[in-house]
Every structure is written in C-alpha cells, then in structure tokens.
Amino acid sequence: MNKFLLLLFCVATVSVAIFVLSGCNAFSPSAGADNDDGGTDVVYPPDDENPTNPDKPLPETFEVKFVVDGETIAVEKYILGGDKISEPKIPYKKGYTAKWENYTLSGGNITVNAIYTPLVYTITYFLENSETLVITCTVENYSELVPEIPSRYGYEGKWVYSVNKDGEGYVAEAEYTLKNYTLNFYVDDVLYYTTTCNLENCEYLPAIPKKPHFTAEWEEVKFDGDPIRVNAVYTPIEYTITFKALGKIVGECTYTVTESNVTAPPVPAMQHYSGEWETYCANGGNITVNAIYTPITYTAEFYADGVLVAAVPYTVEKLDGKIPEVPLKAGYAGVWEKYELCGGDKRINAIYTPIKGTEGLVYERIGAGWAVTGYSGAETDIVIPAVYQGLPVTEISAEAFSRSNLTNITLHENLEVIGESAFYVCTSLKEVVMPKSLKVIGSRAFAGCVNLERIIYTGEPPQIGDKAFYGCDKLTIEDISLNEYRLDIIVRYCCNLTEIML
C-alpha cells in the first residue's frame, strides 16, 4: 500500500514539473485576472517566437466578434487552450437586462450576440373618478397596454410615473397643461384672420366684417382640434311688411333679403272699386304697403225709342263723358228718365210727353195740318205745340201775335212758316227758340221787337223775308247757319247787334 501511494506522489510531482516547464499552456478556468469590466484577459506569446520551444510553430489565433443588434462592437483574439478573453460591456437599453449569449472557445472564429431581456413592470394608473388600472408590461408591449389619458377640455395631458410608495412597481398620474391652439377665422370660406390662444386666454376676437341686412357673429370657439376653424355666421335680419287698407292694418308678414317672397293678404273689397296693393320692393327695411282702389268704369247707355243715342262711361267718382240731349220728337217733350250713376251698367230711356200748346191759341186747318192764327190768353211765355188734335202745327199766320205783350216764345218741330209780321212790334219779346223744321221767316216777322235779345236756331238756314228783324237792336243770334246774303238781310236793320254765334 505504502509503495502504491509513493508511486502516485512521484507521478504527480513529475506532472507538475512538466506543466511548469511547458509555460502553463494548458486551459485553466482560473487562469488570468478579471478586468474592471468583468472580462478575462488573454495572454498571447510573441508573434515571432515560441519561447518554450523555438523549434515548435506558433499556435493558431482565432477571433471572437461581439455583436449588438447586428452591429459589431468589439473583436477579441484567442488561441485554443489560452486564457479567457476580455468581454466588452453590453450597451445599456432602458427597460432591459442584458448578457452575452453562452459561447465556448473551442477553436475557430466565433460571433457572440448580446441578449436583451425586457424587464417586467407593474404600473398602477390613476384614472378619473378615483378608478385605477393595474397593468403588467414590458417596454415591448407597454404602448399596447397603457390606457388613454382622461381627456380634459382645452388641456394636454401626459402620464407622470413614480415609484410606488411600497417600493414595488410604479404609479402613473395624469399631468395637464393648457394647450395653445391656432384659430383660423373664415369669412365666406376665405381665411380672414389667424391667432393663437388657449382656454384661459381667448378673449380677443377680431372685428367681423359687416354685411347690409345681416347680423354677424363668430361661431362658438370649440377647443376640439388644432387648428380650430371659426366661421363668420351671417343671419339675415327679419323685416316686417305691413299691409294697410283704408287706414287699417289688414295683415303683416316677415321677410329677409334672402327670402323675400311673401304672400300678401287679399285686398279688402270696396264696392264699385277694384283694389290692389301698391308696388313695393322687399329689399330691406320695414315696409308699409297701402291698398290702391281704382273706381270701376261702368257704362250708361241712353236710349230713345229703343235706339242707342250714346254710351257714356262713368265711375262713382266722375262722369267720363257728356250726357246727351234727348233727341227731339215732333209733338213731344222729351226728358231722360230719372237715374243715378251710382255704380253698375245703366240703361236710361227717353221719356216723351206730348206737348200741349198754351191755352188761348187760335187754330185754323190748312192743308194736312194746322196754323196758329191768334192768341186770346193771358200768358206771356207761350208754347206753340208740334201737334194739335193729332195733326202737325206747320204755320204761324201773318200778324198772329202782332203788337202782343209776349216775352218768350217756344216753337216746336213741324213748324215750317212764320208769316209776315207774325210778331210785329212785340216790344216785350226777349227770346225765341226756333225748330229745325222752320223753312220760312216772313217779311217784318220780328220787326220792331226792340227788346229781342236772343234767337236760338240750329237747323238749316230758312228763307228770311225783307226787314224780318228790323229794329232788333239788342239781338244775339246763336248757332244760326246763314249764307252771306241772308246774314246781310238780318244785320242790315239791327243797328246795335253785338254778337252773332255761328
């Protein structure tokens, strides 16, 4: 036994001596010294010699590349069986632990990658209304799990992290700051003004351009985006149209310059008038519109014995024509029936009444008619009728009224002849109305009628005898149509004749 132990000791002693003599080339986990960075230095022999055995070739040298995220950050050399190499520090990454992947210096070039392992955090988020949310995350899934910051109108928010009071995990609380916004003011879709402000300092708004017939204001500023668009809001002013008729308000309606079509109320009816609203323009401002009443034009038709004499237009305000004379009708006095032009079309008929001669006239039959031969009555204003006992009165005989005190004589149709000296020296006679049917005025028929002032005659010129108007110094002849010869006969003996109306 003792011999066996002695043999093992000798073998061991020889082995140690051989190791020392060989320059410590064998791999030892404890060989070399740690660097400050935790790596292990590798000791290399000189390149040009092998001090242990100059005749033996140098050992092969290999490389170790240290790679971080695909980028080489260091290269170390080693020989097989040499000392440990010096590992570089792994670059820091927030939220990760780091180490080099395992490797063995077993010969050959080696690539060593950095391995980053995300740290696991526990974060408690304080939300609104004292609510909390606890998440467990790493930097790789943090953005997916972090809750949105509770919104606060007009503010910007961010999470502020701190270590939990118990030292485990983190807490996150929202921190808010006023947000500044850009305000763009638009008028009719055109940028008008730009400014910046925040929720607590946004008192100034630019003056808004005015538009006729519109009120203008900026719409409410809402801090819900950036930039903020603020539009000018133009609201058409509402005006009133008042409709009045005969001084009273009939109705009212409103309009704007953008909606100016209005429905006017009906114009109140007014008898014998047509009504309409006066023309107006709804182009801004309150308006009073008055009813205009125009009298309706009616027609008054005048008939004599069924024959239309005249059609006269009229309104209740005025007559637009002249009322015609009642057509003469032999033996009759004619008047229009009573009427009032008070609205509506009218038919007005002539009423004929047989004319009666003045009492006291003396008649004598001649031919197919009668002649007046004298007068025994007391009236001074006499009428010679057109008809007597159904036959025409066609003649006043010679000297029938000579030297009488007559003042006025009315002669009617059918009378054709005034005999010689028929009204001779009728000094009170002032006016004579002669019919159109008169054909002959005998000689000296009106001679000596010194106060005769007026003869009314509209018919064809009669045959006038010599000195028919002798001494009629005051005479005015109206509407008499005479040729030059006959006029000379009349005028020759009327020394003071002042007027002849032809």
Side-chain angles (χ1 to χ4, degrees):
M1 171 64 77
N2 291 334
K3 289 181 181 181
F4 179 72
L5 294 172
L6 180 61
L7 178 60
L8 289 175
F9 175 77
C10 292
V11 172
T13 302
V14 173
S15 298
V16 169
I18 293 172
F19 177 78
V20 171
L21 291 175
S22 64
C24 300
N25 287 330
F27 173 76
S28 172
S30 60
D34 291 340
N35 293 330
D36 292 339
D37 57 6
T40 302
D41 292 334
V42 179
V43 179
Y44 298 95
D47 293 335
D48 55 354
E49 63 177 316
N50 185 343
T52 304
N53 188 354
D55 296 328
K56 187 178 179 179
L58 292 173
E60 187 176 1
T61 301
F62 301 101
E63 290 183 347
V64 180
K65 290 183 179 180
F66 292 90
V67 178
V68 177
D69 295 332
E71 182 178 345
T72 300
I73 65 168
V75 177
E76 298 293 339
K77 294 181 180 181
Y78 79 95
I79 60 175
L80 189 62
D83 294 332
K84 290 175 62 178
I85 62 174
S86 176
E87 294 178 346
K89 285 186 177 180
I90 300 177
Y92 172 73
K93 275 189 180 183
K94 187 176 181 179
Y96 289 85
T97 60
K99 67 177 183 178
W100 296 112
E101 65 182 347
N102 293 329
Y103 63 93
T104 301
L105 301 179
S106 57
N109 295 326
I110 302 171
T111 297
V112 181
N113 292 288
I115 298 175
Y116 289 98
T117 304
L119 294 171
V120 178
Y121 299 97
T122 299
I123 306 174
T124 301
Y125 288 89
F126 288 89
L127 307 177
E128 291 182 305
N129 302 321
S130 301
E131 294 182 4
T132 59
L133 174 67
V134 179
I135 66 171
T136 300
C137 64
T138 68
V139 292
E140 293 180 352
N141 65 356
Y142 164 77
S143 60
E144 300 174 4
L145 300 177
V146 64
E148 291 187 2
I149 298 175
S151 61
R152 183 176 292 181
Y153 184 67
Y155 287 82
E156 293 178 309
K158 67 178 181 178
W159 291 116
V160 177
Y161 298 89
S162 61
V163 178
N164 203 341
K165 292 181 179 179
D166 59 10
E168 294 186 4
Y170 294 86
V171 295
E173 295 180 300
E175 181 179 86
Y176 295 94
T177 56
L178 280 170
K179 182 178 180 179
N180 287 321
Y181 294 86
T182 298
L183 271 63
N184 293 328
F185 294 86
Y186 284 81
V187 176
D188 296 335
D189 283 334
V190 177
L191 182 61
Y192 174 71
Y193 184 79
T194 299
T195 187
T196 57
C197 71
N198 56 48
L199 188 62
E200 295 181 0
N201 181 24
C202 198
E203 297 179 356
Y204 173 74
L205 296 177
I208 190 167
K210 295 181 178 180
K211 284 186 178 182
H213 311 301
F214 287 83
T215 61
E217 61 181 351
W218 296 113
E219 63 184 356
E220 181 183 355
V221 178
K222 295 182 179 179
F223 295 91
D224 53 4
D226 194 24
I228 298 171
R229 177 175 176 137
V230 184
N231 294 300
V233 178
Y234 290 96
T235 304
I237 297 172
E238 194 172 81
Y239 297 109
T240 300
I241 302 177
T242 302
F243 294 89
K244 298 180 73 175
L246 303 175
K248 295 182 179 180
I249 295 177
V250 175
E252 291 182 336
C253 58
T254 58
Y255 79 96
T256 66
V257 291
T258 58
E259 293 291 337
S260 58
N261 291 328
V262 299
T263 301
V267 179
M270 184 176 177
Q271 191 176 21
H272 307 305
Y273 287 82
S274 62
E276 62 181 353
W277 297 114
E278 65 183 343
T279 303
Y280 64 92
C281 291
N283 55 6
N286 296 324
I287 303 170
T288 297
V289 181
N290 294 294
I292 298 176
Y293 289 97
T294 303
I296 298 171
T297 299
Y298 299 109
T299 302
E301 294 182 338
F302 293 85
Y303 285 83
D305 291 335
V307 178
L308 179 64
V309 177
V312 181
Y314 82 96
T315 69
V316 292
E317 294 182 357
K318 67 176 182 176
L319 186 68
D320 291 332
K322 183 178 180 181
I323 301 298
E325 296 288 339
V326 178
L328 295 176
K329 186 176 182 180
Y332 293 85
V335 294
W336 296 115
E337 63 183 342
K338 290 184 179 180
Y339 62 90
E340 290 184 0
L341 299 180
C342 55
D345 293 331
K346 303 287 185 179
R347 176 176 176 137
I348 303 164
N349 296 295
I351 298 176
Y352 289 101
T353 304
I355 299 173
K356 293 182 179 181
T358 305
E359 292 290 335
L361 292 175
V362 179
Y363 298 93
E364 180 180 321
R365 281 291 302 271
I366 56 169
W370 296 92
V372 176
T373 60
Y375 176 61
S376 59
E379 296 289 336
T380 60
D381 189 345
I382 67 171
V383 175
I384 306 298
V387 176
Y388 179 71
Q389 295 182 356
L391 295 175
V393 177
T394 61
E395 183 176 330
I396 297 175
S397 299
E399 299 182 0
F401 297 95
S402 177
R403 300 183 183 276
S404 66
N405 60 349
L406 301 178
T407 57
N408 291 287
I409 302 172
T410 300
L411 307 175
H412 285 283
E413 293 299 316
N414 293 333
L415 182 66
E416 297 179 354
V417 177
I418 297 176
E420 294 181 2
S421 301
F423 298 96
Y424 181 72
V425 191
C426 291
T427 58
S428 297
L429 187 61
K430 294 182 178 180
E431 181 176 284
V432 178
V433 179
M434 296 181 178
K436 292 182 179 180
S437 58
L438 185 63
K439 297 178 179 179
V440 176
I441 299 176
S443 299
R444 300 179 182 271
F446 294 93
C449 296
V450 294
N451 288 309
L452 182 60
E453 297 176 350
R454 190 178 184 207
I455 291 178
I456 300 174
Y457 180 79
T458 58
E460 289 294 323
Q463 179 182 344
I464 301 174
D466 187 38
K467 298 182 181 181
F469 296 95
Y470 179 79
C472 297
D473 298 337
K474 296 181 180 181
L475 182 61
T476 297
I477 301 175
E478 293 186 10
D479 300 325
I480 189 166
S481 179
L482 301 171
N483 59 35
E484 183 177 347
Y485 170 74
R486 288 171 177 164
L487 184 61
D488 179 64
I489 292 174
I490 293 173
V491 173
R492 187 180 304 168
Y493 301 104
C494 298
C495 300
N496 295 316
L497 182 63
T498 60
E499 183 177 10
I500 296 177
M501 300 180 67
L502 301 177

